[in-house]
Amino acid sequence: VGTDMDDVLSYTKQNYAKPNPKYFGKAKGKNIIIIHLESFQQFLINDKVNGQEVTPFLNSLYNDKNTMSFDNFYHEVGQGKTSDAENMLETGLFGLPEGSLFSKLGSDNTFQAAPAILGQKEGYTSAVFHGNIGSFWNRDDVYKNMGYNYFFDSSYFNKTNDSSLEYGMKDKLMLSESVKYLEQLQQPFYAKFITVTNHYPFQLPDEDNDGFQAPNTDSSAVNNYFVTAHYLDNALKEFFDYLKASGIYDNSMIVLYGDHYGLSNSQNPDLAPLLGIDSNDWTDFNNSQMQKVPFMVHMKGLKGGINHTYGGEIDVLPTILHLAGINTKQYVQLGTDLLSNQHNPIVIFRNKNFITPHYTVLKDSDGNPEVFKNNTGEQVDLDQDPELKQKVAKWQNYVNTKLKLSDTINNKNLLRFYTPTGFMPIDPKTESYQNEIQ
Ligand code: GP9
Ligand code: MN
């Protein structure tokens, strides 16, 4: 172990948050189903347009007594968008400051990722389902190196002329076509479903819309976003119906998350009136609030509720592993279990902005911190509050250190020099899929 790795290990040891005994192992031996909600933002939950719920199924799931739902959970992606979200969720490390880690480093780096850990520790079979070509974001290589046993990309699904849109197969078709493969997977399985239909420019053919009425703002992206989000919601309802009918539901923990924003800061002023805010009053603080995405953990028998803990995508891996009854102490993961009493609630954005449970800290164009109160959105004058100014500097230092450490681990491919006890390293040169089942 070289000096760099020693630094990493002393950091992760100190950063470690021990599992909450109330939740540790609650999902032990259950299938784990991860549903990636493309471009899905938290504001859609419980939202209505023209008096109609946009996502009635997700709303019911959000409020279900068996769902742990987070309402202060943020995406933390950079330019790697979907791939950065996947990277954080599966490896517990951040994406890169520029570009996509999947594309830049995913073919050669050593990973200690969710599918390998679950496979080795608890005998999970792992699979990804995604209705786009396998080479998009270099997934073909990356998933192998993460230890996935199977990758079902668009070539595994029956396609017709109108079954795909710009980013791949329509979600309803992808999810229903996946069933025949899912049913053959050895249980317990860790299966990830990546939806695509709710992706910019959010164009859905009329025949796929069940009559949902789009809002009527000046931005067609804003208007269409609600229609594709509604479609995704419908697709999920059908998929849950299937999971229940097949009995898989009873033995599964289902995790849903939004990967990143769908509407960008430039589109938000057009969205503002739909959220009851005058476009002229829209601020950078409002933009930062729009980075909230859903994170829900649903399982029969789980004691759920709306959890107000602050966290983000980097925190998902230790949360899931602890629920699955796997200790994470030895792993190099930079987030902390959202359910742990020792969870660190500072949400780190890839551009070094951050959010604490009380403050949102953004940089102005000169790089100086602009601090907002989370409960009112009001800006704080740091010169009037030297104590807070000092705290902000301390938090910023913590944020910078963590991101830098993540970049060092990734850019220097440090995990090849460290193997947790009992973990079998994955050699990116020799790994292959087992897609022999048809
Ligand atoms: C592509 C899909 C979209 O396969 O996952 O990626 P994004 O553009 O959101 O990063
Ligand atoms: Mn995406």
Side-chain angles (χ1 to χ4, degrees):
V1 180
T3 12
D4 282 338
M5 199 57 216
D6 286 340
D7 293 345
V8 169
L9 292 173
S10 73
Y11 184 92
T12 49
K13 198 170 169 192
Q14 201 192 98
N15 178 68
Y16 172 74
K18 67 172 197 290
N20 183 335
K22 257 175 47 197
Y23 293 99
F24 187 80
K26 272 280 170 295
K28 194 174 169 70
K30 302 268 186 194
N31 301 314
I32 301 176
I33 299 176
I34 311 278
I35 305 182
H36 172 110
L37 308 173
E38 180 56 44
S39 303
F40 198 100
Q41 295 172 233
Q42 178 70 12
F43 80 84
L44 290 166
I45 300 290
N46 291 333
D47 193 25
K48 280 185 181 171
V49 169
N50 303 319
Q52 195 185 352
E53 275 182 277
V54 184
T55 59
F57 175 69
L58 282 169
N59 298 348
S60 69
L61 202 64
Y62 181 78
N63 294 307
D64 192 290
K65 68 175 194 320
N66 293 144
T67 307
M68 178 64 80
S69 299
F70 290 81
D71 62 356
N72 287 308
F73 181 89
Y74 292 80
H75 84 76
E76 298 172 294
V77 310
Q79 291 169 348
K81 303 294 291 289
T82 290
S83 66
D84 279 0
E86 291 187 63
N87 178 64
M88 282 182 276
L89 265 90
E90 309 251 41
T91 73
L93 298 174
F94 288 93
L96 298 174
E98 267 126 39
S100 155
L101 182 142
F102 270 31
S103 306
K104 283 182 159 172
L105 304 173
S107 300
D108 300 316
N109 267 17
T110 295
F111 292 101
Q112 288 156 10
I117 298 171
L118 287 159
Q120 294 184 22
K121 298 280 157 195
E122 295 287 331
Y124 278 78
T125 307
S126 52
V128 190
F129 299 86
H130 179 53
N132 200 338
I133 52 167
S135 56
F136 202 109
W137 285 129
N138 196 27
R139 288 175 170 110
D140 269 337
D141 275 6
V142 178
Y143 292 156
K144 266 196 297 213
N145 297 342
M146 289 181 163
Y148 270 107
N149 301 124
Y150 302 97
F151 178 21
F152 300 100
D153 67 4
S154 57
S155 67
Y156 285 82
F157 304 122
N158 282 323
K159 287 177 290 292
T160 58
N161 284 340
D162 58 0
S163 54
S164 289
L165 300 167
E166 195 175 331
Y167 282 86
M169 266 194 108
K170 295 173 185 170
D171 295 337
K172 283 190 185 186
L173 304 178
M174 185 278 284
L175 290 170
S176 64
E177 287 267 319
S178 295
V179 163
K180 63 176 182 281
Y181 301 114
L182 188 68
E183 287 183 337
Q184 295 180 66
L185 290 181
Q186 176 77 40
Q187 298 195 34
F189 53 70
Y190 171 76
K192 163 155 98 167
F193 294 86
I194 303 175
T195 64
V196 295
T197 308
N198 188 43
H199 191 292
Y200 184 83
F202 316 113
Q203 270 155 0
L204 191 73
D206 278 344
E207 68 263 25
D208 293 304
N209 183 359
D210 67 356
F212 184 79
Q213 289 252 302
N216 191 19
T217 73
D218 291 342
S219 158
S220 64
V222 170
N223 300 340
N224 293 340
Y225 182 57
F226 290 90
V227 179
T228 49
H230 177 77
Y231 169 87
L232 169 57
D233 184 73
N234 252 315
L236 296 172
K237 181 184 182 300
E238 288 179 6
F239 189 56
F240 268 70
D241 286 344
Y242 155 74
L243 291 174
K244 286 186 174 163
S246 66
I248 291 175
Y249 174 86
D250 293 325
N251 309 317
S252 302
M253 171 170 80
I254 304 167
V255 176
L256 303 100
Y257 75 100
D259 64 340
H260 50 73
Y261 63 87
L263 299 175
S264 61
N265 291 352
S266 62
Q267 288 152 344
N268 284 340
D270 282 314
L271 173 70
L274 295 174
L275 306 176
I277 300 176
D278 191 299
S279 301
N280 298 314
D281 297 337
W282 191 263
T283 64
D284 287 343
F285 173 76
N286 293 124
N287 283 332
S288 72
Q289 289 293 296
M290 299 307 284
Q291 310 315 311
K292 283 187 187 181
V293 291
F295 180 62
M296 306 185 211
V297 180
H298 178 81
M299 185 177 71
K300 217 172 155 175
L302 183 75
K303 210 178 151 314
I306 312 288
N307 187 318
H308 307 304
T309 301
Y310 277 73
E313 287 165 335
I314 198 73
D315 302 312
V316 172
L317 183 59
T319 308
I320 290 177
L321 291 178
H322 287 168
L323 281 161
I326 295 174
N327 209 310
T328 61
K329 199 165 192 170
Q330 282 199 78
Y331 293 97
V332 177
Q333 297 167 355
L334 294 179
T336 53
D337 180 348
L338 292 160
L339 300 166
S340 165
N341 298 324
Q342 299 171 340
H343 168 68
N344 186 321
I346 299 184
V347 180
I348 300 181
F349 294 119
R350 191 51 260 201
N351 62 4
K352 299 180 185 167
N353 289 344
F354 61 91
I355 298 184
T356 77
H358 298 290
Y359 299 100
T360 292
V361 181
L362 312 173
K363 252 68 83 208
D364 68 15
S365 46
D366 299 322
N368 299 316
E370 287 186 315
V371 180
F372 302 86
K373 286 187 183 165
N374 290 347
N375 55 358
T376 59
E378 192 189 334
Q379 196 170 343
V380 189
D381 183 355
L382 281 191
D383 291 330
Q384 303 296 318
D385 191 342
E387 205 183 317
L388 182 61
K389 190 172 181 170
Q390 223 171 36
K391 276 193 197 157
V392 168
K394 198 186 85 195
W395 291 328
Q396 188 67 66
N397 191 31
Y398 160 82
V399 166
N400 296 355
T401 304
K402 198 174 256 202
L403 288 170
K404 195 169 159 217
L405 198 77
S406 178
D407 294 343
T408 305
I409 297 166
N410 288 322
N411 285 322
K412 295 193 172 173
N413 187 15
L414 287 185
L415 293 185
R416 80 200 135 122
F417 300 128
Y418 168 73
T419 305
T421 313
F423 183 80
M424 268 179 1
I426 295 200
D427 178 357
K429 277 170 223 68
T430 58
E431 216 45 46
S432 63
Y433 296 111
Q434 289 163 234
N435 280 28
E436 70 272 25
I437 57 167
Q438 289 295 327

